[in-house]
């Protein structure tokens, strides 16, 4: 992201929509580590996750919990909307079904609070 911003002459991003088919964790790690996340006012993303307990929703996924906390603490981006608080919708791709993997998707939005 920093190289794209530099190439385009951008110092701030009003809204960033992130739908990178499972690479969101690596992207977020880079954005947080580099500090570029502090230049984003609103982030909308699609999560792909495997850990899920329907009794507790997405709160049972430690990876998502960690990124939500880091986006808040390190970037000033607070979670304000989740599409499905019960954990998102299941993937029905044949590959996952045949392997009996329970992949789920969910959408979330974060906004700058500081």
């Amino acid at each position: 992201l920093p190289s794209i911003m530099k190439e385009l002459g951008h110092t701030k991003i009003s809204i960033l929509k992130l739908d990178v088919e499972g690479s969101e964790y690596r992207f977020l790690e880079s954005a947080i580590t580099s500090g570029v996340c502090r230049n984003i006012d609103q982030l909308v993303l699609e999560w792909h996750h495997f850990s899920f307990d329907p009794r507790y929703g997405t709160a049972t996924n430690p990876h998502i919990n960690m990124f939500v906390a880091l986006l808040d603490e390190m970037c000033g981006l607070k979670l304000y909307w989740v599409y499905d608080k019960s954990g998102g919708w299941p993937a029905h791709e044949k590959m996952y079904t045949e392997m009996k993997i329970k992949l789920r998707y969910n959408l979330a939005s974060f906004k700058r609070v500081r």
Side-chain angles (χ1 to χ4, degrees):
L1 186 59
S3 60
I4 294 170
M5 290 175 67
K6 183 177 180 180
E7 181 180 326
L8 297 174
H10 294 193
T11 57
K12 189 170 190 76
I13 297 174
S14 297
I15 185 166
L16 178 65
K17 178 182 180 274
L18 188 63
D19 185 359
V20 291
E21 301 308 316
S23 295
E24 59 275 9
Y25 300 101
R26 182 165 287 171
F27 177 89
L28 290 170
E29 180 181 11
S30 175
I32 292 166
T33 302
S34 72
V36 74
C37 62
R38 292 188 291 271
N39 299 328
I40 301 169
D41 288 335
Q42 185 176 350
L43 173 66
V44 180
L45 64 92
E46 179 183 83
W47 298 107
H48 296 75
H49 58 93
F50 297 96
S51 303
F52 175 72
D53 184 328
R55 296 173 297 171
Y56 306 110
T58 57
T60 61
N61 187 306
H63 300 101
I64 292 177
N65 289 343
M66 178 192 66
F67 278 110
V68 169
L70 287 171
L71 286 168
D72 187 7
E73 289 298 317
M74 304 292 289
C75 306
L77 293 168
K78 188 90 171 158
L79 177 67
Y80 76 93
W81 180 80
V82 176
Y83 173 76
D84 184 349
K85 292 183 177 160
S86 69
W89 63 95
H92 295 292
E93 286 89 347
K94 183 179 178 185
M95 174 179 70
Y96 298 121
T97 305
E98 288 174 351
M99 295 184 337
K100 297 186 181 1
I101 293 176
K102 295 179 181 177
L103 175 65
R104 300 187 71 82
Y105 303 102
N106 208 344
L107 304 173
S109 292
F110 299 79
K111 65 179 177 180
R112 173 145 319 285
V113 293
R114 58 185 181 291

